[in-house]
Amino acid sequence: PGVDRQVFLNLKALMKGKKSDEQIFDELTPSVLNAHLRSYMPKLTAKVFRTYNASITLDRMLWDHKLDSKLTVAEKVEFYNNANREVAVLCNHQRSVPASHAQSMQKISRQVAALEEEIEDLERAQKRIGESASKYDKERNAWEQEEERRTTEWCKTVQVSSLEEAKEQHETAKAANDRERAELYKAPKRRTFPKLSSFQEHIDQLKARLTEMRATVR
């Protein structure tokens, strides 16, 4: 459907004599627009209006799509993130890309790969354990030994003798505002081996986090 005739005439008048790369509303500034909006409602600004529009659009979208009650937490999170991105497109939300964006995406990609590996390792351990408490103890011990080995390898990679030394180097670099060096000596978080009673719950939580992280790097 076409726009209202008066809207069409106004746009035509505003575009008269302008090139294709020139602003249509060249005389409109954020302060002028916000002053006009506040004449309708106190504290109303373009940002508030934009946030409301996005929120109400997302709310309607979520209510219009009935979710299967059998969906996992990870699948529900993925649905929500997809809806959020669709709303951002509909509302034309844009923001400038920071200079550190590429570096941040690389960091998240590495975290995604590590989380995928952790989930796979836990699922393999879960199959070997079954319902056996004795097998659980064996797998937990093996997991802890593997974590020690991974920590030792990481220390060798960054050329420190222990996690304590790495922490000292990390804090020194932070104090000097040397972000690259601080990141180098930031020790990787040890992977947790969950209790037998909450094994599947722990895996589901990791999968939900993985879904969120994957959505970030898309």
Side-chain angles (χ1 to χ4, degrees):
V3 298
D4 182 84
R5 176 174 172 77
Q6 189 59 53
V7 173
F8 172 77
L9 293 175
N10 289 346
L11 286 173
K12 185 177 180 180
L14 288 165
M15 294 173 65
K16 186 176 180 180
K18 292 180 179 176
K19 298 178 181 179
S20 59
D21 59 349
E22 290 184 285
Q23 293 285 340
I24 296 176
F25 305 103
D26 56 312
E27 296 183 8
L28 181 63
T29 64
S31 58
V32 171
L33 175 60
N34 289 335
H36 176 72
L37 291 173
R38 283 194 292 271
S39 69
Y40 291 98
M41 180 186 295
K43 297 184 180 181
L44 179 61
T45 64
K47 182 179 179 180
V48 171
F49 184 84
R50 185 171 63 249
T51 301
Y52 165 79
N53 185 42
S55 298
I56 196 67
T57 303
L58 177 61
D59 183 71
R60 289 169 179 164
M61 185 176 294
L62 293 175
W63 279 108
D64 288 344
H65 291 76
K66 293 184 178 179
L67 289 180
D68 187 342
S69 60
K70 296 180 181 179
L71 289 179
T72 65
V73 173
E75 289 170 331
K76 290 177 182 178
V77 170
E78 183 174 17
F79 169 79
Y80 175 83
N81 287 335
N82 288 338
N84 218 0
R85 282 194 298 274
E86 189 172 342
V87 167
V89 173
L90 290 173
C91 296
N92 195 32
H93 284 187
Q94 299 178 2
R95 61 181 180 180
S96 59
V97 178
S100 60
H101 177 72
Q103 185 178 357
S104 297
M105 289 300 99
Q106 289 178 354
K107 180 179 178 181
I108 295 175
S109 295
R110 291 194 296 270
Q111 292 173 341
V112 166
L115 194 53
E116 288 174 338
E117 181 185 9
E118 182 176 357
I119 292 171
E120 289 175 0
D121 289 345
L122 284 171
E123 287 181 332
R124 281 195 291 267
Q126 186 181 39
K127 288 181 180 179
R128 291 192 294 266
I129 293 169
E131 299 296 328
S132 172
S134 60
K135 289 183 179 180
Y136 170 82
D137 290 337
K138 180 180 179 181
E139 289 293 331
R140 183 183 60 185
N141 291 334
W143 184 277
E144 292 298 331
Q145 289 175 10
E146 174 61 15
E147 289 305 293
E148 287 294 336
R149 186 196 67 78
R150 292 162 68 98
T151 297
T152 301
E153 287 297 318
W154 179 82
C155 287
K156 289 180 180 178
T157 301
V158 297
Q159 298 181 339
V160 294
S161 60
S162 64
L163 289 178
E164 288 72 21
E165 183 183 348
K167 184 177 180 180
E168 290 177 4
Q169 294 280 8
H170 173 72
E171 294 299 329
T172 300
K174 278 182 63 178
N177 202 27
D178 188 341
R179 295 183 179 180
E180 185 176 348
R181 189 172 177 82
E183 186 64 29
L184 173 65
Y185 288 107
K186 185 177 180 180
K189 187 177 179 180
R190 288 177 69 93
R191 306 185 305 172
T192 301
F193 197 75
K195 295 179 179 179
L196 183 59
S197 58
S198 57
F199 213 100
Q200 186 58 51
E201 180 184 357
H202 181 75
I203 292 176
D204 289 341
Q205 289 174 349
L206 292 182
K207 287 183 176 180
R209 192 193 311 166
L210 178 61
T211 299
E212 293 178 354
M213 293 172 68
R214 281 173 172 167
T216 304
V217 295
R218 282 180 181 176

